[in-house]
Amino acid sequence: VAVAAFLEGRVCFNDISRIIEHTLANVIINDEAQLERILADDARAREVARLYIVGLGNNSGKTVARK
């Protein structure tokens, strides 16, 4: 999600690590190795990252999209 946003010009390169750090800090990962759990954790992490990226775009001065 973070790299895709960078490649689409929605975030700066330096934002990638912030997005990942925020996502890992805000998603509880289950220890169960069941496919359904893994997919649910992945979906939840992607949504947290997506919402954080939207927030970065709304904070002027924090992220400038490339043109």
Side-chain angles (χ1 to χ4, degrees), residues 23-44:
T23 301
L24 290 175
N26 289 283
V27 175
I28 297 172
I29 304 297
N30 293 301
D31 291 335
E32 298 178 39
Q34 297 175 359
L35 182 58
E36 294 83 18
R37 288 284 203 186
I38 294 168
L39 293 175
D41 289 344
D42 178 68
R44 199 166 34 255

Side-chain angles (χ1 to χ4, degrees), residues 6-51:
F6 167 70
L7 293 175
E8 293 167 359
R10 295 186 292 132
V11 298
C12 295
F13 178 79
N14 292 335
D15 290 328
I16 294 172
S17 62
R18 276 188 261 167
I19 295 164
I20 293 169
E21 182 179 350
H22 173 83
T23 301
L24 290 175
N26 289 283
V27 175
I28 297 172
I29 304 297
N30 293 301
D31 291 335
E32 298 178 39
Q34 297 175 359
L35 182 58
E36 294 83 18
R37 288 284 203 186
I38 294 168
L39 293 175
D41 289 344
D42 178 68
R44 199 166 34 255
R46 290 174 183 274
E47 182 64 8
V48 167
R50 188 189 68 72
L51 291 173

